[in-house]
Amino acid sequence: MINLSVIKYLIFIGLLSIISVAKGQGWSIDSTFKHVLANHIEVDPLGNLYTVTKDGQITKFKDIGQPWYTYTNNRLGLLSEFDAGNPFLLLAYYAQYQIVVLLDNTLSETGRIQFGNIGLGNIRAVALSDDNNIWVLDEEGRRVLKIGTDGRKILEGVPYMGFSFDSNKDIRIIQRGRYLYVIQPDSPIQVFDFFGKWVKQIDLEGLQTVVFIDDNIYYTVKGYLKTYNIAYPGMESDQEWPLDDFKLIRFDAVHRKLIGVDDAQKIGFLKI
């Protein structure tokens, strides 16, 4: 009988080997987007690139580097979060007004959720769920909630007081498979299941940002990219891959490349 765990491990080792080859190639400025400046980037599962400028303009690009659609809202304060996990249901969050704006694949607004209307406040981190609803991190209540796109509460997680958040540092939540990951720089990753119950924490010293590739967490620390294997913790390679001043790393699964933004707001890539 084929052992799926062994297969997953072999795939993991193979991916490490591929990235090791990419290490020799180094990061390059993406010529397709050489005239584009970005304060933030996201990539959806179809390989579409989105940029966010300092003033909060979201732009979706064609493969040829031409702007496709744009969305800007100057009435809700600064854009706090943009989630492109679903190409047909995009999420823009404005924490100053505690409002989630839902967008379709043309960046046209399809709905809004105001947290104050459902008894929530001081929310900093939101994310799309795998079932097209919205995860919300309630930092004061030490819990996660799931909200429908119509604003109704679907699930309220069990509070867990075994850790704390730093209100002065950015915070993100990301769902991958059956688990929800709460991420802050220089802090352990807190892991919840999809019922909103705290499961464990993952200690990754010096962690700044993360990107998920298959069953692996790739995280930036001190100018390098390191790896942590979710299925086989402790079995990772000790290799580090230089970031060459690139940050805000994202993964384009369609074109199999890492994408980042450097200090000059130029978009670069590392082919894997």
Side-chain angles (χ1 to χ4, degrees), residues 67-130:
W68 205 351
Y69 303 106
T70 62
Y71 176 82
T72 305
N73 194 316
N74 295 320
R75 298 181 178 181
L76 298 178
L78 295 176
L79 180 65
S80 305
E81 182 71 53
F82 177 65
D83 190 329
N86 181 338
F88 305 100
L89 177 64
L90 305 164
L91 181 155
Y93 180 52
Y94 298 85
Q96 183 177 347
Y97 286 86
Q98 297 286 287
I99 290 178
V100 171
V101 175
L102 302 174
L103 307 168
D104 65 14
N105 62 328
T106 67
L107 296 184
S108 298
E109 188 171 328
T110 60
R112 291 189 182 191
I113 300 170
Q114 188 160 357
F115 289 140
N117 293 338
I118 55 175
L120 296 176
N122 197 29
I123 301 299
R124 292 197 297 151
V126 299
L128 291 169
S129 66
D130 285 355

Side-chain angles (χ1 to χ4, degrees), residues 34-47:
K34 62 183 178 181
H35 299 300
V36 178
L37 297 179
N39 193 53
H40 184 85
I41 56 170
E42 292 293 340
V43 182
D44 71 25
L46 298 179

Side-chain angles (χ1 to χ4, degrees), residues 18-86:
I18 292 171
I19 294 183
S20 296
V21 174
K23 175 185 174 183
Q25 298 171 348
W27 287 80
S28 303
I29 296 295
D30 195 326
S31 60
T32 304
F33 303 101
K34 62 183 178 181
H35 299 300
V36 178
L37 297 179
N39 193 53
H40 184 85
I41 56 170
E42 292 293 340
V43 182
D44 71 25
L46 298 179
N48 297 308
L49 175 70
Y50 303 79
T51 63
V52 181
T53 60
K54 279 188 175 181
D55 60 3
Q57 177 175 289
I58 303 168
T59 302
K60 179 179 181 179
F61 284 87
K62 298 180 180 180
D63 279 343
I64 57 175
Q66 293 298 316
W68 205 351
Y69 303 106
T70 62
Y71 176 82
T72 305
N73 194 316
N74 295 320
R75 298 181 178 181
L76 298 178
L78 295 176
L79 180 65
S80 305
E81 182 71 53
F82 177 65
D83 190 329
N86 181 338

